[in-house]
Amino acid sequence: MSVVVGILLIIAALVMVVTVLLQSSEKAGIGAVSGAAETFFGKNKASGMEAKLALITKISAAVFVVLCIVFMFL
């Protein structure tokens, strides 16, 4: 059982790393200091591929945490 959980843990980690690397960076630069950057609510209106990557990242992070907890008890 621990082998299966370990393999799933590695897969979840790889998925999370790949999805984080595929996301575009949001470089606000010095504009963030003066308020020229987008607001918090404006950033959350991403659509298309960016939204899917963000969702996959959140799901894989949750799966990773749950699998770590399960692996700890095995």
Side-chain angles (χ1 to χ4, degrees), residues 24-32 37:
S24 63
S25 64
E26 297 180 10
K27 296 181 182 177
I30 195 71

Side-chain angles (χ1 to χ4, degrees), residues 37-53:
E38 291 185 44
T39 63
F40 174 74
F41 297 108
K43 284 192 238 179
N44 289 336
K45 292 183 181 178
S47 61
M49 191 62 154
E50 292 180 13
K52 289 179 186 176
L53 285 173

Side-chain angles (χ1 to χ4, degrees), residues 8-9 11-13 16 56-70:
L8 291 175
L9 189 62
I11 291 171
M16 189 168 42
I56 293 171
T57 304
K58 291 174 188 175
I59 292 172
S60 63
V63 169
F64 182 80
V65 169
V66 169
L67 286 174
C68 283
I69 293 170
V70 168

Side-chain angles (χ1 to χ4, degrees), residues 2-42:
S2 66
V3 173
V4 173
V5 173
I7 292 171
L8 291 175
L9 189 62
I10 291 171
I11 291 171
L14 289 175
V15 168
M16 189 168 42
V17 167
V18 169
T19 55
V20 166
L21 289 176
L22 286 175
Q23 291 179 14
S24 63
S25 64
E26 297 180 10
K27 296 181 182 177
I30 195 71
V33 175
S34 65
E38 291 185 44
T39 63
F40 174 74
F41 297 108

